[in-house]
Amino acid sequence: MEKVNVSDQPSPIVMKATSKLSSRGQVVIPVEIRKTLGLTEGDDLTFIVNQDGEIKVEVTKKYRLSELMGILKTNQPFRPVEEIRDEVYRTMGAEELKDGEEK
């Protein structure tokens, strides 16, 4: 997850948008703000209120596993899941056979 801290951005107003608070305490974030921050469904927002009553927002992006493929670098070549599974079964089988031997 990547955190985007809006409070780290310069203080001059870059964009301003208005929204209303619903009777259930919900707020719709205007589309131009969502686009600017790259917000998508499922992202977490943390609201921070300082002593002056100023509110800052931290965005924690949630990614699908498929979006993270290739993010970690390795010197190991890619191995298909079936190959890894077969290796694990062979190792487990060999261990089972050893456990059954009398000493």
Side-chain angles (χ1 to χ4, degrees):
M1 286 186 256
E2 173 189 342
K3 280 194 174 184
V4 179
N5 191 346
V6 178
S7 62
D8 290 342
Q9 297 188 7
S11 58
I13 295 175
V14 176
M15 181 180 298
K16 185 175 180 178
T18 304
S19 186
K20 289 186 181 193
L21 184 67
S22 76
S23 61
R24 294 179 58 197
Q26 298 170 321
V27 176
V28 174
I29 299 170
V31 68
E32 55 269 22
I33 302 292
R34 291 194 314 264
K35 283 182 179 179
T36 299
L37 297 177
L39 296 177
T40 56
E41 183 179 345
D43 290 343
D44 289 325
L45 303 177
T46 302
F47 297 89
I48 303 161
V49 181
N50 68 18
Q51 292 175 341
D52 298 330
E54 183 179 73
I55 298 172
K56 297 187 180 188
V57 180
E58 284 183 356
V59 178
T60 304
K61 299 287 296 163
K62 292 196 177 180
Y63 295 100
R64 294 173 190 246
L65 188 56
S66 60
E67 295 174 316
L68 300 175
M69 290 294 292
I71 198 168
L72 298 176
K73 303 300 177 206
T74 179
N75 294 330
Q76 300 286 329
F78 173 77
R79 292 175 55 199
V81 173
E82 294 79 19
E83 183 181 311
I84 296 169
R85 185 179 296 123
D86 290 345
E87 181 181 327
V88 169
Y89 287 151
R90 280 194 303 276
T91 304
M92 288 172 57
E95 290 297 319
E96 285 291 325
L97 289 174
K98 283 186 200 175
D99 289 344
E101 293 176 3
E102 291 185 29
K103 295 179 183 176

